[in-house]
Amino acid sequence: MIVLWIAGLVLGVAAAAAGSRRAVGAALEMSESLGISTGLVGLSIMAVGTDLPEIANSIIASLTGHGDVAVGDGTGSALTQITLILALLILAAGLSVDMRRNESKVAVPAGLITVCALVVLAIMLSDGTLSRADGVILVAAWIVSLVWMGRRDRQADAIPRIPDGQIGGAVLRTLLWLSVVAVAATVIVRSFIEITDSLGVPEFVASSIVLALGTSLPELVVDWTAVRRGAAALAIGDLFGSSLVDSTLSVGIGPIFRPTAVSTEAMTGTIVIAVGVAVATLVVAFVTSRRALASWLLVVYGVSMGVLIALTG
Protein backbone atom coordinates (compact mmCIF):
# COMPACT_ATOMS: atom_id res chain seq x y z
CA MET A 1 0.00 0.00 0.00
CA ILE A 2 2.81 2.39 0.83
CA VAL A 3 4.11 2.00 -2.75
CA LEU A 4 0.80 3.36 -4.05
CA TRP A 5 0.99 6.35 -1.71
CA ILE A 6 4.58 7.05 -2.84
CA ALA A 7 3.43 6.91 -6.47
CA GLY A 8 0.57 9.26 -5.60
CA LEU A 9 3.00 11.66 -3.94
CA VAL A 10 5.32 11.71 -6.97
CA LEU A 11 2.48 12.16 -9.45
CA GLY A 12 0.88 14.84 -7.28
CA VAL A 13 4.10 16.85 -7.07
CA ALA A 14 4.60 16.54 -10.84
CA ALA A 15 1.06 17.71 -11.55
CA ALA A 16 1.36 20.58 -9.07
CA ALA A 17 4.61 21.71 -10.67
CA ALA A 18 3.11 21.60 -14.17
CA GLY A 19 -0.06 23.37 -13.07
CA SER A 20 1.86 26.05 -11.18
CA ARG A 21 4.05 26.80 -14.17
CA ARG A 22 1.08 27.26 -16.48
CA ALA A 23 -0.89 29.25 -13.92
CA VAL A 24 2.06 31.62 -13.54
CA GLY A 25 2.37 31.97 -17.30
CA ALA A 26 -1.27 32.99 -17.57
CA ALA A 27 -0.95 35.35 -14.60
CA LEU A 28 2.06 37.01 -16.23
CA GLU A 29 -0.10 37.83 -19.24
CA MET A 30 -2.46 39.69 -16.93
CA SER A 31 0.43 41.51 -15.29
CA GLU A 32 1.76 42.62 -18.66
CA SER A 33 -1.52 44.35 -19.43
CA LEU A 34 -1.02 46.43 -16.27
CA GLY A 35 2.64 47.27 -16.97
CA ILE A 36 3.87 45.77 -13.68
CA SER A 37 7.68 45.74 -13.28
CA THR A 38 9.56 42.44 -13.50
CA GLY A 39 10.74 42.69 -9.90
CA LEU A 40 7.21 43.12 -8.60
CA VAL A 41 5.98 40.29 -10.83
CA GLY A 42 8.51 37.98 -9.19
CA LEU A 43 7.64 39.14 -5.68
CA SER A 44 3.89 38.92 -6.13
CA ILE A 45 2.25 37.06 -9.00
CA MET A 46 5.03 34.58 -9.71
CA ALA A 47 5.74 34.00 -6.01
CA VAL A 48 2.10 33.21 -5.29
CA GLY A 49 1.81 31.11 -8.45
CA THR A 50 4.80 28.90 -7.69
CA ASP A 51 3.68 28.68 -4.05
CA LEU A 52 0.24 27.33 -4.91
CA PRO A 53 1.19 23.81 -3.72
CA GLU A 54 2.20 25.15 -0.28
CA ILE A 55 -0.93 27.31 -0.07
CA ALA A 56 -3.23 24.43 -1.01
CA ASN A 57 -1.33 22.08 1.30
CA SER A 58 -1.77 24.48 4.22
CA ILE A 59 -5.53 24.61 3.72
CA ILE A 60 -5.89 20.85 3.35
CA ALA A 61 -3.53 20.03 6.23
CA SER A 62 -5.37 22.45 8.54
CA LEU A 63 -8.78 21.10 7.56
CA THR A 64 -7.60 17.56 8.32
CA GLY A 65 -5.96 18.48 11.63
CA HIS A 66 -2.31 18.16 10.57
CA GLY A 67 -0.94 21.53 11.67
CA ASP A 68 2.68 20.35 11.70
CA VAL A 69 2.44 19.52 8.00
CA ALA A 70 1.20 23.03 7.18
CA VAL A 71 3.88 24.73 9.28
CA GLY A 72 6.67 22.36 8.29
CA ASP A 73 5.99 22.63 4.57
CA GLY A 74 5.71 26.43 4.67
CA THR A 75 8.76 27.15 6.81
CA GLY A 76 10.86 24.40 5.23
CA SER A 77 10.08 25.73 1.76
CA ALA A 78 11.01 29.26 2.86
CA LEU A 79 14.52 28.07 3.70
CA THR A 80 14.86 25.58 0.84
CA GLN A 81 14.11 28.15 -1.85
CA ILE A 82 16.68 30.78 -0.83
CA THR A 83 19.40 28.25 -0.06
CA LEU A 84 19.24 24.97 -1.96
CA ILE A 85 17.18 26.11 -4.97
CA LEU A 86 19.06 29.42 -5.28
CA ALA A 87 22.41 27.59 -5.08
CA LEU A 88 21.35 25.14 -7.80
CA LEU A 89 20.30 27.99 -10.09
CA ILE A 90 23.61 29.77 -9.51
CA LEU A 91 25.71 26.68 -10.19
CA ALA A 92 23.72 24.97 -12.95
CA ALA A 93 21.77 27.75 -14.67
CA GLY A 94 24.26 30.60 -14.33
CA LEU A 95 22.10 32.90 -12.18
CA SER A 96 23.99 35.97 -10.97
CA VAL A 97 22.89 37.74 -7.77
CA ASP A 98 24.51 41.18 -7.92
CA MET A 99 23.32 43.49 -5.15
CA ARG A 100 24.34 46.52 -7.23
CA ARG A 101 21.61 45.80 -9.75
CA ASN A 102 17.94 46.66 -9.27
CA GLU A 103 16.95 43.06 -10.01
CA SER A 104 18.84 41.84 -6.95
CA LYS A 105 17.85 44.59 -4.53
CA VAL A 106 14.60 42.81 -3.65
CA ALA A 107 16.49 39.90 -2.10
CA VAL A 108 17.74 41.32 1.20
CA PRO A 109 14.59 43.28 2.18
CA ALA A 110 12.38 40.28 1.37
CA GLY A 111 14.74 37.99 3.29
CA LEU A 112 14.74 40.20 6.37
CA ILE A 113 10.95 40.48 6.35
CA THR A 114 10.78 36.68 6.09
CA VAL A 115 12.98 36.33 9.17
CA CYS A 116 10.70 38.68 11.11
CA ALA A 117 7.64 36.73 9.96
CA LEU A 118 9.19 33.44 11.08
CA VAL A 119 10.00 34.86 14.51
CA VAL A 120 6.40 36.05 14.87
CA LEU A 121 5.19 32.64 13.72
CA ALA A 122 7.36 30.89 16.34
CA ILE A 123 5.79 33.08 19.04
CA MET A 124 2.32 32.18 17.75
CA LEU A 125 3.18 28.48 17.91
CA SER A 126 4.30 28.68 21.55
CA ASP A 127 0.75 28.01 22.81
CA GLY A 128 0.45 24.83 20.73
CA THR A 129 -2.14 26.17 18.28
CA LEU A 130 -2.49 28.27 15.17
CA SER A 131 -5.70 30.22 15.64
CA ARG A 132 -7.86 31.96 13.08
CA ALA A 133 -6.55 35.31 14.38
CA ASP A 134 -2.97 34.09 13.91
CA GLY A 135 -3.77 33.22 10.32
CA VAL A 136 -5.32 36.62 9.63
CA ILE A 137 -2.26 38.38 11.07
CA LEU A 138 0.13 36.33 8.90
CA VAL A 139 -1.85 36.93 5.72
CA ALA A 140 -2.16 40.65 6.53
CA ALA A 141 1.61 40.79 7.12
CA TRP A 142 2.18 39.42 3.61
CA ILE A 143 -0.15 42.01 2.07
CA VAL A 144 1.50 44.91 3.93
CA SER A 145 4.97 43.63 3.03
CA LEU A 146 4.01 43.31 -0.62
CA VAL A 147 2.64 46.86 -0.74
CA TRP A 148 5.83 48.20 0.84
CA MET A 149 8.07 46.20 -1.49
CA GLY A 150 6.01 47.35 -4.46
CA ARG A 151 6.58 50.99 -3.58
CA ARG A 152 10.33 50.36 -3.38
CA ASP A 153 10.22 48.84 -6.86
CA ARG A 154 9.40 52.03 -8.76
CA GLN A 155 12.76 52.22 -10.51
CA ALA A 156 12.50 48.79 -12.12
CA ASP A 157 11.64 48.51 -15.82
CA ALA A 158 7.96 48.07 -16.60
CA ILE A 159 6.68 45.17 -18.68
CA PRO A 160 5.07 46.16 -22.02
CA ARG A 161 1.28 46.10 -22.21
CA ILE A 162 -0.77 43.57 -24.16
CA PRO A 163 -4.22 44.01 -25.71
CA ASP A 164 -7.01 44.08 -23.12
CA GLY A 165 -8.91 41.44 -25.08
CA GLN A 166 -6.36 38.83 -24.03
CA ILE A 167 -6.98 39.34 -20.31
CA GLY A 168 -10.18 37.27 -20.23
CA GLY A 169 -8.44 34.25 -21.72
CA ALA A 170 -5.56 34.63 -19.27
CA VAL A 171 -8.02 34.69 -16.37
CA LEU A 172 -9.70 31.48 -17.55
CA ARG A 173 -6.37 29.71 -18.04
CA THR A 174 -5.21 30.82 -14.60
CA LEU A 175 -8.35 29.46 -12.94
CA LEU A 176 -8.03 26.19 -14.86
CA TRP A 177 -4.46 25.56 -13.79
CA LEU A 178 -5.16 26.68 -10.24
CA SER A 179 -7.75 23.91 -10.04
CA VAL A 180 -5.15 21.41 -11.28
CA VAL A 181 -2.77 22.52 -8.54
CA ALA A 182 -5.49 22.26 -5.87
CA VAL A 183 -6.35 18.69 -6.88
CA ALA A 184 -2.66 17.74 -7.07
CA ALA A 185 -2.04 19.26 -3.63
CA THR A 186 -4.83 17.15 -2.18
CA VAL A 187 -3.09 14.03 -3.49
CA ILE A 188 0.28 15.24 -2.16
CA VAL A 189 -0.91 15.88 1.39
CA ARG A 190 -2.97 12.68 1.63
CA SER A 191 -0.10 10.57 0.28
CA PHE A 192 2.46 12.31 2.47
CA ILE A 193 0.44 11.83 5.66
CA GLU A 194 -0.09 8.12 4.90
CA ILE A 195 3.63 7.59 4.21
CA THR A 196 4.84 9.38 7.37
CA ASP A 197 2.26 7.56 9.49
CA SER A 198 3.43 4.23 8.06
CA LEU A 199 7.11 4.99 8.70
CA GLY A 200 6.59 6.64 12.09
CA VAL A 201 8.44 9.82 11.00
CA PRO A 202 7.54 13.02 12.92
CA GLU A 203 5.31 15.14 10.67
CA PHE A 204 7.19 18.40 11.14
CA VAL A 205 10.62 16.94 10.33
CA ALA A 206 9.36 15.08 7.28
CA SER A 207 7.31 17.99 5.95
CA SER A 208 10.01 20.63 6.48
CA ILE A 209 12.57 18.54 4.58
CA VAL A 210 10.97 16.05 2.18
CA LEU A 211 7.65 17.74 1.45
CA ALA A 212 9.32 21.16 1.25
CA LEU A 213 11.64 19.82 -1.44
CA GLY A 214 8.68 18.49 -3.40
CA THR A 215 6.60 21.65 -3.19
CA SER A 216 9.65 23.78 -4.09
CA LEU A 217 9.90 22.11 -7.49
CA PRO A 218 7.71 24.79 -9.16
CA GLU A 219 10.25 27.45 -8.16
CA LEU A 220 13.11 25.39 -9.56
CA VAL A 221 11.31 24.67 -12.85
CA VAL A 222 9.94 28.18 -13.43
CA ASP A 223 13.04 30.05 -12.29
CA TRP A 224 15.35 27.80 -14.32
CA THR A 225 13.36 28.79 -17.41
CA ALA A 226 13.45 32.46 -16.38
CA VAL A 227 17.24 32.44 -15.95
CA ARG A 228 17.75 30.70 -19.28
CA ARG A 229 15.64 33.41 -20.94
CA GLY A 230 17.69 36.17 -19.35
CA ALA A 231 14.98 37.14 -16.83
CA ALA A 232 17.12 37.04 -13.68
CA ALA A 233 14.87 39.60 -12.00
CA LEU A 234 11.91 37.25 -12.21
CA ALA A 235 13.91 34.35 -10.76
CA ILE A 236 15.36 36.33 -7.85
CA GLY A 237 12.06 38.00 -7.09
CA ASP A 238 10.25 34.67 -7.21
CA LEU A 239 12.67 32.88 -4.88
CA PHE A 240 12.68 35.55 -2.19
CA GLY A 241 9.03 36.41 -2.78
CA SER A 242 8.10 32.73 -2.44
CA SER A 243 10.07 32.51 0.79
CA LEU A 244 8.07 35.45 2.13
CA VAL A 245 4.79 33.93 0.93
CA ASP A 246 5.68 30.62 2.61
CA SER A 247 6.31 32.22 6.00
CA THR A 248 3.14 34.34 5.93
CA LEU A 249 0.37 33.60 3.44
CA SER A 250 1.00 29.87 3.03
CA VAL A 251 1.18 29.09 6.75
CA GLY A 252 -1.54 31.57 7.69
CA ILE A 253 -4.25 30.75 5.18
CA GLY A 254 -4.95 27.24 6.52
CA PRO A 255 -5.88 28.27 10.09
CA ILE A 256 -8.26 30.90 8.70
CA PHE A 257 -10.38 28.02 7.40
CA ARG A 258 -9.86 25.92 10.52
CA PRO A 259 -7.63 26.56 13.58
CA THR A 260 -5.23 23.69 14.14
CA ALA A 261 -3.01 22.26 16.86
CA VAL A 262 0.76 22.07 16.44
CA SER A 263 3.54 20.31 18.34
CA THR A 264 6.40 21.86 20.30
CA GLU A 265 8.69 20.59 17.53
CA ALA A 266 6.98 23.01 15.14
CA MET A 267 7.97 26.00 17.27
CA THR A 268 11.54 24.75 17.74
CA GLY A 269 11.89 23.98 14.05
CA THR A 270 10.55 27.39 13.05
CA ILE A 271 13.19 29.09 15.20
CA VAL A 272 15.94 27.00 13.56
CA ILE A 273 14.63 27.86 10.11
CA ALA A 274 14.40 31.57 11.02
CA VAL A 275 18.10 31.52 11.92
CA GLY A 276 18.88 29.71 8.66
CA VAL A 277 16.98 32.28 6.59
CA ALA A 278 18.72 35.13 8.44
CA VAL A 279 22.17 33.67 7.76
CA ALA A 280 21.28 32.97 4.10
CA THR A 281 20.10 36.57 3.65
CA LEU A 282 23.37 37.90 5.10
CA VAL A 283 25.34 35.60 2.79
CA VAL A 284 23.45 36.93 -0.23
CA ALA A 285 24.05 40.51 0.94
CA PHE A 286 27.81 40.23 1.44
CA VAL A 287 29.23 37.38 -0.66
CA THR A 288 29.99 38.54 -4.20
CA SER A 289 31.62 35.47 -5.77
CA ARG A 290 29.06 33.24 -7.50
CA ARG A 291 30.69 29.95 -6.51
CA ALA A 292 31.34 31.10 -2.95
CA LEU A 293 27.74 32.28 -2.65
CA ALA A 294 26.37 28.96 -3.88
CA SER A 295 28.72 27.02 -1.58
CA TRP A 296 27.75 29.03 1.50
CA LEU A 297 24.05 28.67 0.72
CA LEU A 298 24.44 24.89 0.49
CA VAL A 299 26.28 24.89 3.82
CA VAL A 300 23.50 26.95 5.43
CA TYR A 301 20.88 24.54 4.11
CA GLY A 302 22.79 21.43 5.22
CA VAL A 303 23.59 22.74 8.72
CA SER A 304 20.02 23.98 9.23
CA MET A 305 18.55 20.62 8.27
CA GLY A 306 21.05 18.82 10.49
CA VAL A 307 20.18 20.97 13.51
CA LEU A 308 16.47 20.60 12.71
CA ILE A 309 16.69 16.82 12.73
CA ALA A 310 18.80 16.80 15.91
CA LEU A 311 16.36 19.00 17.83
CA THR A 312 13.01 17.77 16.53
CA GLY A 313 13.61 14.31 15.08
Side-chain angles (χ1 to χ4, degrees), residues 24-25 27-50 106 142 146 149-150 153 156-160 222-223 231 233-239 241-242 245:
V24 168
L28 283 175
E29 292 183 28
M30 290 187 287
S31 72
E32 289 172 357
S33 70
L34 300 175
I36 300 175
S37 69
T38 54
L40 188 55
V41 168
L43 282 169
S44 56
I45 297 173
M46 183 173 282
V48 173
T50 54
V106 300
W142 172 72
L146 188 62
M149 294 290 290
D153 196 54
D157 296 330
I159 297 177
V222 173
D223 295 337
L234 290 177
I236 295 170
D238 179 42
L239 288 173
S242 294
V245 170

Side-chain angles (χ1 to χ4, degrees), residues 101-162:
R101 297 199 306 259
N102 282 335
E103 64 189 25
S104 298
K105 289 181 179 179
V106 300
V108 172
L112 293 176
I113 295 172
T114 300
V115 174
C116 294
L118 288 169
V119 171
V120 171
L121 175 60
I123 295 172
M124 291 176 173
L125 297 174
S126 62
D127 63 357
T129 61
L130 264 181
S131 67
R132 187 168 283 111
D134 292 336
V136 170
I137 291 172
L138 289 171
V139 173
W142 172 72
I143 295 173
V144 171
S145 300
L146 188 62
V147 171
W148 180 75
M149 294 290 290
R151 289 180 177 176
R152 293 184 72 259
D153 196 54
R154 291 173 182 171
Q155 295 182 346
D157 296 330
I159 297 177
R161 295 178 179 273
I162 62 173

Side-chain angles (χ1 to χ4, degrees), residues 44-97:
S44 56
I45 297 173
M46 183 173 282
V48 173
T50 54
D51 254 23
L52 289 174
E54 287 94 336
I55 293 171
N57 286 350
S58 175
I59 296 172
I60 297 165
S62 295
L63 290 175
T64 55
H66 292 273
D68 279 14
V69 172
V71 176
D73 186 26
T75 58
S77 294
L79 178 65
T80 299
Q81 284 149 192
I82 64 170
T83 53
L84 179 61
I85 302 300
L86 179 55
L88 290 176
L89 291 174
I90 292 172
L91 293 174
L95 176 62
S96 177
V97 184

